Amino acid sequence: MLVRKILLIRLGWFVLLTLALLQVLSNTQIQTDIASFMPAGKNDQQRQLLEEIKQGSAARLWLIAITGEARDSDAQQIIFQSQKLATSLRASGLFSSVVNGPAAIDDSLLQRLFRYRYLLDDSIQEDSFSVTELRRALQRRLEEMTSPFSSFSKQLLVSDPTAVMRHVSDHLQGNQSTLESRNKVWYSSKKNRALLIASSKEPGSNIDAQEKAYNRILSTFKKTRGNTNSSLIVSGAPLFAVAARDSIRKESRQLSIAAGIFMLAFMFLVFRNGTLVLLSMLPIGAGLLIATAAVSLLYGSIHGITLAFGITLLGVTIDYPVHLFIHAKKTSSLQQAAVNIWPVLKLGVLTTALGYGAMIWTDFSGLSQLGVFSLVGLITAALVTRTLLPALKRDVPGQTSVLQRRVLSLMNGRWKSLPGIALLVFMLVSLLGYKFFLPYDIWSRDIAALSPVPTELIQQDRLLRSSLGLPEATSLIRVKGTDVEDVLKKEEQLKPVLEQAIRKNYITSFRSAAELLPSIHTQQLRQTLLPDRETLSRRMDDALQGLPFRAGSFKPFLDAVENSKSLGFLKPIDLRGTIIGTALDGLLSTSGQGVSGVIHLTGLQNMDALEKLIRAATLPQVTFINIKSGTNELMQGFRQEMLQRIAWVTVVILLVLLMGLKDILRSIRVITPVLLAVLFAALVPLWLGESLNLFHLVSLLLVAGLGLDYALFFSSIRDDQKNAGTVTYSLVICSISSLVVFAMLAFSNIPVLHAIGITVASGVVAAFVLSWMFSGSFRRKVKV
Amino acid sequence: MISGSVIRSFVLLLIFACFVVPTARAAEVEKLMAAMAAVKHRVVSYKEEKQMEMLEESLHSEGRLEYIAPDKLIRSVMKPVEMRYIIDSRQLIIDKGGKLQVRSLENLPLVRVFVESFRSVLAGDLDTLNKYYSITFSGDPPAWKLILQPKDKKLAVYVKKLELSGTGDDVQLYVVEDSNGDLTRMQLYPFDSKVNE
């Protein structure tokens, strides 16, 4: 090669890599927000579901408990700490709300509610003020006078003989009062424990923000705790997100360090030359750099998951320099070796790129990033191997190593067809006895099974959640409308349906904005049900016949009803700053498209039946959102799409092979072991009792990529018998390195890493063994 | 004009009345409380009469009262209708024909203080009683009478004073006088199963 050309190539790559590095260092943001990795959603329900996952209240909710030692003496201490923690967290600005005790209705709000009691009363009927009903109510009040507390209740009696206020305040306070409290702080003396609920300002999908919130909770508690011996328990969905990311990060870091050390050591063992070892890392390094730069240029940022998966998929490029160096030992010129292997390598890269590129046109933004990333990385690594490596080093010490001879003589053994036959028999048996061996679902339905969150944490969360009486995080109802009034009206229409669900024991209770504040329409309707003063006065006189009440006692009642008839309507703005106003803020949200209401469900027993019931009601803009099954459906849809695309890509790859190899039989010989290896890689996790998920699927793509390289190189032996030893040896080295790296992942406790590891490791074995067996030269002895 | 010395002696008398009389009786209150504290479980029958401004005739009711130390009180009304009130330091449960209403006392601070007028006497809990009420003791042992006046201003809006009287460790009469003059007189008897049938 000419010196000028060498310099030009070096300079070209240098400029390109420097630019990529600059782009990465200056302009690349790594996104950790899981939401941006998610697909865009195909229909309205899917979009709402995703909105819920990204913005929903459940994903922001922290459950906090402060416990002391199991004695009551430091109860005051615990209560004090709860108050102090709540105050500091509120002041931190990281939380939209921090609640540590029952929401008591204060006197000024109570007075306002009292004034509006006849408009707020949802039990009002046409005949609520009939003589019969009034008389029944008066008799009941008389019976209640036998209470030890009549000193207090009698004053209410004259202005509210039908006990409407009691109904209204019971209704508003819901089932909250069952939680034990002391000094307005949720505190259980039995457990010597105070409870708090905090809601993050940032959406749950922003894990960085959640981590910040978590650290703030910990540090604030440390300060408030001082030197007492109380302890803190934190739980909730945002913690799970933080914990999951942390454990994946930690374990990936450890594993990649281990894999890196192994690769360096292994390369050194094979090449016995430091320069070659360093150079062997160049293609993948350059691939990663330019791929990252390309994605950040195209998308504005790169997702953390894209990066992690991308590095995995680019693992295939580790093989390129290995092939080059081993071939160069024979030709003793790197340039010549590059020219020699290029036709085979090119076809391998091209077909693998097609497989990876299949991901680009999905509406799953994270995966389309991954498609671009792996495509760019792959092509870069191949071009570096073809052009830059020969321009950096002229030759490789030309000797067949002892290792190479040993390996090849081993491969000439009589048993050489055994592994391949064993693999085929295994697959045949698995497929024939499919029902018997794989009695469970092939596809994983449960996305939660992927979560690396320890079960103790989930258990603890469940306990705290139930002791706080919190609604289900798995499902809710969304009601959309043009304005608050519209949403309230729709929620009121839905109410009978939900009450039916309670009667049928599908749920135990629900919480909606309309339960706190009736629509103006309803308030108006209730006003028309109130009788005028004269009518009411006459009816009261009739109702009081024969009862011991003194005449004229009920003037306050007559005044109140009369006043209610002309009262202005109660609107959310009138309740701002009160606990009901705060609760309404949590249940109604305003956006550019209008107002959206959420209905929380408690004690969910039968999700499917409830969903059917709500669907059957056919109320417009009312959506039942089942977060768990919805997410699973979403994943299922995506999987279907991926599988279809893979089928098409397989056809295209076959066409490319036909054009490249110009031989039908040979193309089939190349593609068959690849497909079988993919099948085997899918069967192994199934045999181990694991249903397949998205991560297995991505791993299968890598198996296909590796398999294509192996099959093409084995197949190339036919054209060049002299090189049989070199080709075979370099494939042995390549597959051993991939096998070890992915086997490491397979032993990880983290489901995602384990899934990738087990799939790729078994795929590598199968791809190597089968490509070898299917290559035309299998029966011939390999010349050492 | 009243001379300075008369005023002075009147003030002195007042001071004397405030300090000396209560301390003279304090020992007897303590003795009574100790006797009360010794009884951990009581069941009595009661008859109650309420005279109220808004009612033309007084209201009668009867039933059974149970106390379980230290803080549980169960009032079972038998007539005119059956109803049960179960109260402890945390909550009030109203049982009307099996239909339960549970209320946290946290939200009913007045009820809580009001109940102490009865509970802390039965429990012999003088500290609590002193905290919420000013106590006047009278009577010749073994007969006794306690007049309680609420210290809590919010409670005083509703209740003027309470009277408990009895013999030995038995409470025989519990009278509540509301601020508007309404009167509740509850007489307590040894448990009589006939009343409760």
Side-chain angles (χ1 to χ4, degrees):
Chain A
M1 210 169 21
L2 289 169
V3 178
R4 217 178 56 204
K5 200 178 166 196
I6 288 176
L7 285 176
L8 212 64
I9 290 170
R10 284 185 186 175
L11 185 71
W13 279 109
F14 179 76
V15 171
L16 195 61
L17 289 172
T18 312
L19 286 176
L21 190 66
L22 282 175
Q23 166 70 17
V24 169
L25 289 180
S26 63
N27 279 326
T28 305
Q29 271 190 321
I30 296 183
Q31 272 187 312
T32 50
D33 178 349
I34 198 95
S36 57
F37 196 77
M38 290 292 215
K42 286 204 166 65
N43 53 43
D44 195 46
Q45 195 166 359
Q46 284 191 358
R47 273 190 289 274
Q48 283 208 38
L49 170 77
L50 287 161
E51 189 62 24
E52 217 52 68
I53 295 172
K54 291 173 192 175
Q55 305 290 340
S57 57
R60 303 168 190 240
L61 211 62
W62 295 91
L63 315 178
I64 304 167
I66 303 174
T67 25
E69 288 188 337
R71 55 196 159 77
D72 198 44
S73 58
D74 56 350
Q76 283 311 317
Q77 188 64 249
I78 300 292
I79 290 166
F80 174 71
Q81 288 181 4
S82 165
Q83 284 163 333
K84 220 170 149 194
L85 184 63
T87 317
S88 324
L89 292 182
R90 276 181 205 125
S92 72
L94 296 173
F95 301 92
S96 57
S97 83
V98 180
V99 185
N100 70 333
I105 295 179
D106 61 31
D107 286 348
S108 88
L109 178 60
L110 203 65
Q111 274 164 23
R112 209 172 321 171
L113 295 178
F114 190 63
R115 199 146 62 90
Y116 279 95
R117 64 190 179 278
Y118 292 106
L119 304 189
L120 295 173
D121 173 26
D122 71 337
S123 68
I124 194 168
Q125 300 276 325
E126 293 268 3
D127 64 346
S128 286
F129 297 92
S130 68
V131 176
T132 336
E133 284 303 313
L134 288 173
R135 191 176 167 79
R136 188 177 299 167
L138 287 164
Q139 271 168 333
R140 217 167 269 165
R141 298 296 91 77
L142 204 58
E143 289 164 5
E144 283 166 10
M145 287 288 219
T146 61
S147 142
F149 312 113
S150 61
S151 306
F152 309 108
S153 54
K154 67 180 183 193
Q155 302 214 333
L156 206 59
L157 198 153
V158 290
S159 52
D160 186 18
T162 51
V164 161
M165 189 58 200
R166 192 194 300 168
H167 178 77
V168 168
S169 71
D170 276 2
H171 187 76
L172 286 177
Q173 300 204 328
N175 46 13
Q176 230 200 9
S177 57
T178 53
L179 202 64
E180 206 180 327
S181 63
R182 202 184 277 189
N183 297 353
K184 304 234 157 68
V185 168
W186 285 318
Y187 173 80
S188 151
S189 49
K190 212 181 276 170
K191 290 173 180 148
N192 194 17
R193 180 178 77 178
L195 294 174
L196 298 94
I197 303 174
S199 183
S200 291
K201 218 169 231 170
E202 288 294 316
S205 54
N206 184 345
I207 301 179
D208 282 335
Q210 303 310 332
E211 190 168 22
K212 207 172 149 197
Y214 181 54
N215 289 332
R216 180 58 70 100
I217 294 171
L218 293 185
S219 64
T220 310
F221 174 70
K222 218 172 162 190
K223 255 184 264 161
T224 47
R225 175 192 161 176
N227 47 18
T228 62
N229 51 17
S230 55
S231 55
L232 185 76
I233 302 170
V234 182
S235 191
L239 174 75
F240 292 171
V242 172
R245 192 182 66 173
D246 275 1
S247 63
I248 292 179
R249 255 190 197 166
K250 206 173 125 200
E251 189 137 349
S252 330
R253 192 173 303 148
Q254 285 170 351
L255 282 169
S256 50
I257 289 171
I261 291 172
F262 163 77
M263 283 306 285
L264 285 174
F266 187 63
M267 290 297 145
F268 195 79
L269 182 79
V270 174
F271 299 120
R272 315 258 169 179
N273 180 318
T275 320
L276 284 184
V277 172
L278 285 181
L279 286 179
S280 72
M281 300 295 155
L282 199 56
I284 190 168
L288 289 174
L289 190 64
I290 291 180
T292 310
V295 170
S296 80
L297 263 177
L298 278 173
Y299 295 86
S301 64
I302 185 165
H303 202 285
I305 302 176
T306 307
L307 201 58
F309 279 175
I311 294 170
T312 310
L313 288 182
L314 288 189
V316 70
T317 61
I318 292 271
D319 294 356
Y320 301 167
V322 175
H323 288 306
L324 181 71
F325 296 158
I326 292 176
H327 279 79
K329 280 193 177 186
K330 189 133 192 170
T331 59
S332 75
S333 150
L334 229 54
Q335 175 62 25
Q336 188 53 48
V339 172
N340 286 351
I341 63 166
W342 186 240
V344 184
L345 192 65
K346 190 176 66 186
L347 208 52
V349 170
L350 208 61
T351 47
T352 309
L354 277 171
Y356 289 1
M359 289 182 289
I360 293 179
W361 289 277
T362 59
D363 62 349
F364 207 132
S365 77
L367 280 169
S368 93
Q369 275 191 11
L370 183 57
V372 171
F373 185 93
S374 51
L375 195 71
V376 171
L378 201 65
I379 290 168
T380 307
L383 291 177
V384 167
T385 309
R386 173 66 185 84
T387 59
L388 183 59
L389 292 185
L392 288 176
K393 194 164 167 62
R394 195 179 294 268
D395 52 17
V396 172
Q399 248 180 20
T400 324
S401 70
V402 187
L403 195 68
Q404 181 169 350
R405 257 173 278 145
R406 287 241 177 101
V407 167
L408 291 179
S409 65
L410 206 64
M411 288 187 66
N412 280 327
R414 280 160 185 256
W415 51 267
K416 71 178 184 179
S417 40
L418 263 179
I421 290 169
L423 279 176
L424 290 175
V425 168
F426 169 82
M427 281 190 270
L428 198 68
V429 170
S430 300
L431 290 177
L432 288 179
Y434 163 71
K435 281 256 147 64
F436 182 70
F437 293 116
L438 312 169
Y440 38 83
D441 289 333
I442 290 186
W443 300 111
S444 165
R445 284 170 202 278
D446 191 358
I447 203 165
L450 292 176
S451 165
V453 177
T455 37
E456 304 96 73
L457 268 187
I458 292 171
Q459 199 61 31
Q460 192 176 66
D461 186 70
R462 208 162 285 159
L463 285 174
L464 275 183
R465 204 166 274 279
S466 74
S467 51
L468 277 164
L470 284 176
E472 303 287 330
T474 51
S475 57
L476 48 86
I477 300 166
R478 270 276 165 214
V479 179
K480 299 214 166 183
T482 49
D483 52 22
V484 171
E485 173 69 7
D486 190 28
V487 170
L488 291 177
K489 263 165 48 183
K490 281 174 182 152
E491 289 187 351
E492 281 165 354
Q493 284 166 1
L494 184 63
K495 188 179 175 170
V497 179
L498 293 175
E499 280 170 341
Q500 193 187 347
I502 292 176
R503 280 195 300 278
K504 290 190 168 176
N505 288 327
Y506 299 163
I507 50 172
T508 52
S509 68
F510 64 93
R511 210 168 158 68
S512 70
E515 291 296 291
L516 298 177
L517 179 69
S519 67
I520 289 171
H521 174 78
T522 300
Q523 295 184 43
Q524 222 160 6
L525 201 77
R526 286 176 188 166
Q527 272 187 338
T528 63
L529 291 176
L530 297 173
D532 59 53
R533 189 177 183 108
E534 268 168 64
T535 316
L536 184 62
S537 167
R538 216 173 42 239
R539 288 184 191 164
M540 269 304 270
D541 287 346
D542 289 350
L544 282 164
Q545 287 291 317
L547 293 178
F549 291 102
R550 208 179 291 278
S553 294
F554 292 95
K555 186 178 170 289
F557 172 52
L558 302 178
D559 292 343
V561 173
E562 187 182 23
N563 178 41
S564 299
K565 268 189 94 67
S566 58
L567 213 54
F569 304 112
L570 199 61
K571 291 189 273 297
I573 198 152
D574 303 319
L575 294 165
R576 185 152 293 169
T578 68
I579 59 155
I580 296 178
T582 314
L584 281 174
D585 285 345
L587 294 167
L588 293 170
S589 53
T590 312
S591 69
Q593 292 108 42
V595 175
S596 164
V598 61
I599 301 180
H600 293 300
L601 307 165
T602 321
L604 194 62
Q605 291 292 327
N606 192 337
M607 185 132 45
D608 296 338
L610 177 66
E611 188 168 2
K612 251 181 228 154
L613 204 64
I614 290 166
R615 286 237 172 100
T618 58
L619 293 165
Q621 290 184 290
V622 170
T623 326
F624 179 81
I625 299 176
N626 179 341
I627 292 180
K628 201 169 169 184
S629 78
T631 322
N632 292 349
E633 255 167 54
L634 206 70
M635 289 294 162
Q636 222 168 345
F638 162 75
R639 196 176 60 220
Q640 228 88 49
E641 200 183 308
M642 274 294 270
L643 285 174
Q644 257 172 19
R645 211 159 289 193
I646 287 172
W648 279 110
V649 164
T650 311
V651 174
V652 176
I653 287 176
L654 192 61
L655 288 176
V656 172
L657 285 177
L658 271 175
M659 286 193 294
L661 298 171
K662 299 183 178 72
D663 183 341
I664 297 178
L665 194 69
R666 204 164 153 186
S667 302
I668 290 173
R669 278 188 160 179
V670 168
I671 199 114
T672 310
V674 177
L675 292 177
L676 286 174
V678 169
L679 179 66
F680 179 76
L683 280 172
V684 170
L686 285 173
W687 262 91
L688 294 175
E690 299 162 23
S691 297
L692 300 184
N693 58 50
L694 190 61
F695 304 103
H696 290 103
L697 218 56
V698 173
S699 309
L700 291 179
L701 276 179
L702 176 59
V703 171
L706 290 166
L708 279 166
D709 280 353
Y710 297 173
L712 283 167
F713 271 104
F714 268 124
S715 163
S716 74
I717 293 175
R718 228 168 90 170
D719 305 328
D720 189 3
Q721 289 297 334
K722 299 193 301 292
N723 259 335
T726 311
V727 170
T728 312
Y729 179 61
S730 70
L731 283 170
V732 170
I733 299 304
C734 289
S735 50
I736 288 176
S737 63
S738 301
L739 177 63
V740 174
V741 168
F742 286 97
M744 279 182 199
L745 287 186
F747 286 106
S748 165
N749 288 323
I750 293 180
V752 175
L753 299 179
H754 168 81
I756 295 174
I758 191 81
T759 314
V760 179
S762 44
V764 164
V765 173
F768 179 84
V769 170
L770 296 173
S771 308
W772 182 30
M773 203 163 102
F774 277 76
S775 69
S777 52
F778 181 63
R779 298 223 180 94
R780 292 203 193 99
K781 276 211 165 168
V782 183
K783 272 190 214 147
V784 177
Chain B
M1 273 201 55
I2 305 165
S3 74
S5 67
V6 173
I7 294 177
R8 207 173 303 134
S9 57
F10 183 70
V11 169
L12 272 176
L13 200 73
L14 254 181
I15 292 170
F16 184 76
C18 289
F19 285 97
V20 182
V21 175
T23 41
R25 290 305 208 172
E28 284 166 307
V29 178
E30 271 170 30
K31 221 164 133 191
L32 171 66
M33 289 307 203
M36 292 304 232
V39 187
K40 299 293 179 201
H41 185 203
R42 302 166 185 261
V43 186
V44 293
S45 296
Y46 77 88
K47 278 187 182 164
E48 191 182 71
E49 183 190 356
K50 274 183 182 164
Q51 294 165 6
M52 298 175 90
E53 198 187 356
M54 70 168 85
L55 298 179
E56 278 169 343
E57 49 199 71
S58 48
L59 194 68
H60 295 271
S61 65
E62 57 188 72
R64 192 179 64 189
L65 210 59
E66 184 174 2
Y67 165 75
I68 302 159
D71 63 4
K72 196 165 194 167
L73 277 166
I74 304 167
R75 170 164 158 141
S76 311
V77 185
M78 305 293 178
K79 284 172 190 171
V81 279
E82 285 195 20
M83 241 193 227
R84 232 154 44 105
Y85 300 84
I86 304 159
I87 192 161
D88 59 28
S89 58
R90 284 206 301 119
Q91 58 185 19
L92 164 66
I93 302 170
I94 302 172
D95 175 1
K96 194 175 175 183
K99 238 175 90 180
L100 296 185
Q101 278 183 61
V102 184
R103 273 150 207 280
S104 167
L105 286 191
E106 180 95 357
N107 301 327
L108 302 166
L110 287 186
V111 168
R112 185 180 218 163
V113 176
F114 180 72
V115 169
E116 285 301 340
S117 69
F118 198 65
R119 187 213 64 92
S120 52
V121 172
L122 294 186
D125 182 353
L126 187 57
D127 288 346
T128 307
L129 198 60
N130 257 324
K131 187 174 159 195
Y132 296 121
Y133 298 96
S134 35
I135 311 165
T136 315
F137 181 91
S138 61
D140 298 310
W144 53 268
K145 184 175 178 181
L146 290 174
I147 297 176
L148 309 175
Q149 277 172 302
K151 288 180 177 170
D152 185 319
K153 285 200 181 100
K154 280 187 185 161
L155 182 59
V157 170
Y158 295 92
V159 178
K160 192 172 167 193
K161 66 173 188 202
L162 301 116
E163 273 179 40
L164 286 98
S165 48
T167 315
D169 59 17
D170 269 343
V171 184
Q172 285 152 346
L173 184 66
Y174 177 65
V175 182
V176 182
E177 190 182 334
D178 292 351
S179 49
N180 69 342
D182 286 359
L183 218 60
T184 302
R185 287 173 56 87
M186 180 162 78
Q187 282 178 284
L188 300 104
Y189 309 94
F191 179 58
D192 176 2
S193 57
K194 263 186 252 160
V195 175
N196 301 291
E197 269 161 19

